[in-house]
Amino acid sequence: MSIYVYIGDDDANKDLRDLGYNALNSLKEAKECLEGAKGWGVVDMLGGGLFSSMIKRSKIDEAKSKIMIAQRDLTTFYRALDNFEDTNVELNYDEFTGFVDIVFDNFLMDVMVQKRISDALNRIEELIGSTEKIINRL
């Protein structure tokens, strides 16, 4: 990945940095939600039952919302840079998966959902790192 940024116009760079910080903040909010879901996922795997499954699902739904905002903010930032990097983060937790996770609450399902949360969290961390590098270049 090569990103070239013209460093000449301070106002333009400030605007780019502002977009970058906005995207970065959105990513960090998504990360925080995913970490909460991951924590409740551990509780669920250790036998937390219906209560922990419901809280985990709530945290996942919140994370999905934050991920959508972060993707929008990242896309805006990358477009301003004339850079079209992949900003996609997939949580792969749909209504059916949520239903099965709660109704058939078992260790195997909990592990599968935990893996999906971890994968999304890793992707968010990658995007945070790359966004910070770009901002630091501006």
Side-chain angles (χ1 to χ4, degrees):
M1 168 175 85
S2 296
I3 298 173
Y4 301 98
V5 179
Y6 172 70
I7 303 179
D9 186 353
D10 288 337
D11 288 336
N13 283 343
K14 182 189 179 314
D15 291 344
L16 288 173
R17 279 193 301 275
D18 289 346
L19 289 172
Y21 285 126
N22 191 38
L24 192 58
N25 289 335
S26 296
L27 286 166
K28 288 181 179 180
E29 287 178 11
K31 178 182 175 186
E32 186 177 309
C33 291
L34 285 170
E35 287 172 339
K38 186 175 183 178
W40 280 103
V42 170
V43 171
D44 200 22
M45 287 185 342
L46 296 175
L50 180 63
F51 180 71
S52 63
S53 292
M54 295 296 290
I55 293 174
K56 177 180 69 177
R57 181 176 180 159
S58 171
K59 295 289 184 184
I60 288 171
D61 289 342
E62 185 180 355
K64 285 169 63 175
S65 173
K66 297 291 185 180
I67 287 168
M68 287 175 48
I69 293 167
Q71 287 175 318
R72 181 201 65 212
D73 291 345
L74 275 173
T75 300
T76 301
F77 179 49
Y78 283 136
R79 282 187 181 148
L81 292 169
D82 289 329
N83 185 343
F84 297 97
E85 292 295 319
D86 178 19
T87 62
N88 196 33
V89 177
E90 292 185 26
L91 186 50
N92 292 325
Y93 188 89
D94 56 17
E95 291 300 316
F96 178 73
T97 303
F99 173 78
V100 171
D101 183 30
I102 290 171
V103 173
F104 302 107
D105 190 19
N106 62 54
F107 186 74
L108 181 62
M109 191 67 190
D110 292 340
V111 169
M112 182 186 77
V113 170
Q114 196 72 355
K115 169 88 170 86
R116 291 177 182 188
I117 293 169
S118 293
D119 290 347
L121 191 53
N122 289 338
R123 179 67 176 135
I124 290 284
E125 289 171 346
E126 287 173 12
L127 289 168
I128 287 172
S130 63
T131 303
E132 286 174 337
K133 284 179 186 176
I134 294 168
I135 291 170
N136 289 334
R137 288 181 176 172
L138 295 175

